[in-house]
Amino acid sequence: MIRPVKRLALLGAVLMQAAWVQAAPLSLDQALEMAAQRSTAAMASRASSRSAAEMARAAGQLPDPMLGVSVENLPVTGGDRFSLTRESMTMKRVAVAQEWLSPEKRAAREAVGQAMAKREAAGEWMAVTEARTQTAVAYLDAWFAAEALKLTEHTERHAREALETGRARAASPGGSAAEALALTVALGQAEDESLALRQQMNAAMVTLVRWTGATAPELQAPRLPDLPARDAFIAAHPAVAARRADIAFAERDVVVTRLNRQPNWTWEVSYGQRQGYSDLISFGVRIPLPVAPESRQDRETAAKAALVDRAQADLTEAERTAGLEYDAIASDVQRLGQRIDRYRSVVLAPARLRVDATLAAYRANQSSLPMVFEARHAELEAQRKLLELQRDLARAQAQLVFKTIDQGAAQ
């Protein structure tokens, strides 16, 4: 009875911990980590990289030796035909042959394999950065939509309070039914705005679940890392890193092709057995003869060298494109920051002052209740617009922060 009790207690603890983890707010860092681990494209590229790494290790080894078994000088006519023992020249032969590659060639082939693994890893870098960027955008959309929803719900509360007051005033002598109707329309508009924001937030949450595979009751306030410098962004851009991997592979492939100008020797040792005569041992070496290296081996080397030039040109183009991308996004970040500062001073601050002035006029019976609600609604709309600007700024910053790969991974 003790073991079942312990198992039940352990199971209960695990379930409680799982429930706590599920109920805890999801942070941006957690979402990014989940997305990187969940990306199937990254998994596929990771598997290709491991495959290329294993092939690299195999490329650094000598080829397998060859075992040969044969019967030589077997008679096929006469009375001794197909006899292994009657003809003195008949010999049963066992041979072992080994193609020899120099250590330099083996090291060069292994280096090519390692460069191939690095090039395959570039697919993982691109997949991970894409997953992280899309996850960050979805996270920001969901969080800012939730913040905007809080404002519209606040507007709803104000509208309901104002409508109750308006209905009471309409029922009193001298009250106005038009004022109550205007407040009813305002409440309906506020409720519709809340529904629209809930729809927007749910769509963002669906996208977030698509990348992370996890649902959370709420999201923590996002904290973005510092923006990278232009040179750092270009160096860590996945397209640039991939082109550098292409150059490394092409350069090592040139080395292997150049070394192929030196032929591989093959040595062979054999043992022959004859009936009634001494057994024989043979050994020898086979050496390929490059009869026209300038027409074959040199051409192959030149072709591989041309691929290096192409890879270098692709790198230059990738660096130029990454630089232009950084300039465009950084310009958006700067302009959005300026717009936010200006919006706070020229729109949001006057909207707050308008609310205070309208409330003071309403208390002095110089303003109507719909005018008070309109002033409050205008202030909340200004706050929503500020949230939209802040969301756009955060999305632009996320493009710069999460679209780059870890520097250690690209080395």
Side-chain angles (χ1 to χ4, degrees):
M1 292 295 295
I2 297 178
R3 289 184 177 178
V5 172
K6 288 184 177 179
R7 290 178 181 175
L8 289 175
L10 179 61
L11 179 60
V14 172
L15 292 177
M16 290 179 60
Q17 183 179 6
W20 180 84
V21 172
Q22 186 176 5
L26 181 68
S27 69
L28 178 58
D29 291 339
Q30 291 172 339
L32 295 174
E33 183 64 25
M34 291 177 182
Q37 296 298 326
R38 181 178 169 82
S39 173
T40 55
M43 293 178 187
S45 299
R46 201 175 297 128
S48 297
S49 179
R50 288 199 305 268
S51 174
E54 295 297 333
M55 292 298 295
R57 297 186 183 94
Q61 306 299 317
L62 284 172
D64 292 334
M66 298 292 293
L67 175 65
V69 179
S70 63
V71 175
E72 298 180 1
N73 301 321
L74 179 69
V76 294
T77 60
D80 296 338
R81 65 181 180 276
F82 302 122
S83 174
L84 297 175
T85 60
R86 297 176 185 175
E87 173 58 52
S88 61
M89 294 187 65
T90 300
M91 180 173 61
K92 291 171 283 188
R93 183 171 178 269
V94 178
V96 176
Q98 174 68 64
E99 183 182 9
W100 175 256
L101 275 72
S102 66
E104 185 180 9
K105 274 191 176 182
R106 281 180 281 161
R109 292 187 178 186
E110 185 173 1
V112 167
Q114 292 172 350
M116 173 64 75
K118 201 70 171 180
R119 191 168 69 171
E120 291 295 332
E124 179 185 355
W125 305 336
M126 292 184 177
V128 168
T129 55
E130 177 66 16
R132 285 167 58 85
T133 302
Q134 295 300 328
T135 300
V137 170
Y139 189 100
L140 294 171
D141 287 346
W143 188 84
F144 278 101
E147 292 299 306
L149 180 60
K150 294 177 183 178
L151 293 178
T152 58
E153 290 175 344
H154 191 56
T155 303
E156 283 187 52
R157 289 194 298 270
H158 283 172
R160 289 191 182 93
E161 293 172 358
L163 180 58
E164 291 176 1
T165 304
R167 286 174 177 173
R169 292 180 59 177
S172 64
S176 173
E179 182 178 272
L181 290 175
L183 292 172
T184 302
V185 172
L187 176 60
Q189 292 176 343
E191 291 174 343
D192 182 71
E193 291 172 355
S194 296
L195 290 174
L197 279 171
R198 286 190 183 94
Q199 181 179 359
Q200 180 182 345
M201 184 178 66
N202 289 336
M205 289 299 297
V206 168
T207 305
L208 186 61
V209 172
R210 174 254 185 271
W211 287 106
T212 63
T215 58
E218 61 178 312
L219 305 177
Q220 295 182 11
R223 295 182 179 179
L224 297 178
D226 295 334
L227 299 182
R230 188 177 189 274
D231 293 341
F233 178 86
I234 295 174
H237 197 282
V240 174
R243 299 293 80 77
R244 286 177 176 164
D246 290 342
I247 291 177
F249 172 80
E251 290 175 344
R252 284 162 176 77
D253 203 19
V254 169
V255 174
V256 171
T257 307
R258 185 179 296 116
L259 289 174
N260 286 338
R261 205 174 190 275
Q262 305 170 7
N264 301 328
W265 293 22
T266 302
W267 57 264
E268 182 180 78
V269 176
S270 64
Y271 184 89
Q273 185 182 52
R274 297 187 299 172
Q275 188 69 25
Y277 291 89
S278 300
D279 294 345
L280 302 175
I281 292 180
S282 302
F283 55 88
V285 176
R286 293 194 299 271
I287 305 174
L289 299 177
V291 294
E294 67 281 352
S295 300
R296 184 179 177 183
Q297 285 83 1
D298 291 350
R299 298 280 184 178
E300 293 176 353
T301 302
K304 299 295 184 180
L307 294 180
V308 174
D309 295 337
R310 187 187 72 175
Q312 290 175 342
D314 290 341
L315 173 61
T316 301
E317 180 62 24
E319 289 177 338
R320 183 182 297 117
T321 302
L324 293 175
E325 181 180 2
Y326 181 90
D327 293 339
I329 299 176
S331 176
D332 289 342
V333 169
Q334 181 181 6
R335 294 182 183 278
L336 284 169
Q338 294 172 350
R339 287 182 61 188
I340 289 173
D341 293 338
R342 182 179 182 277
Y343 193 85
R344 282 174 173 158
S345 60
V346 302
V347 177
L348 188 57
R352 290 172 179 170
L353 294 175
R354 178 190 173 190
V355 171
D356 295 338
T358 307
L359 282 173
Y362 175 73
R363 295 187 183 100
N365 292 325
Q366 297 178 356
S367 176
S368 65
L369 195 58
M371 293 180 63
V372 174
F373 176 79
E374 182 184 354
R376 284 178 171 174
H377 185 263
E379 180 190 10
L380 292 175
E381 281 297 310
Q383 292 177 349
R384 282 183 56 188
K385 178 63 176 179
L386 179 62
L387 279 176
E388 291 179 3
L389 291 174
Q390 291 173 335
R391 180 202 61 192
D392 294 342
L393 175 61
R395 293 182 65 171
Q397 292 172 333
Q399 292 287 333
L400 291 180
V401 171
F402 301 115
K403 203 166 186 177
T404 56
I405 62 176
D406 180 38
Q407 287 291 345
Q411 297 302 321

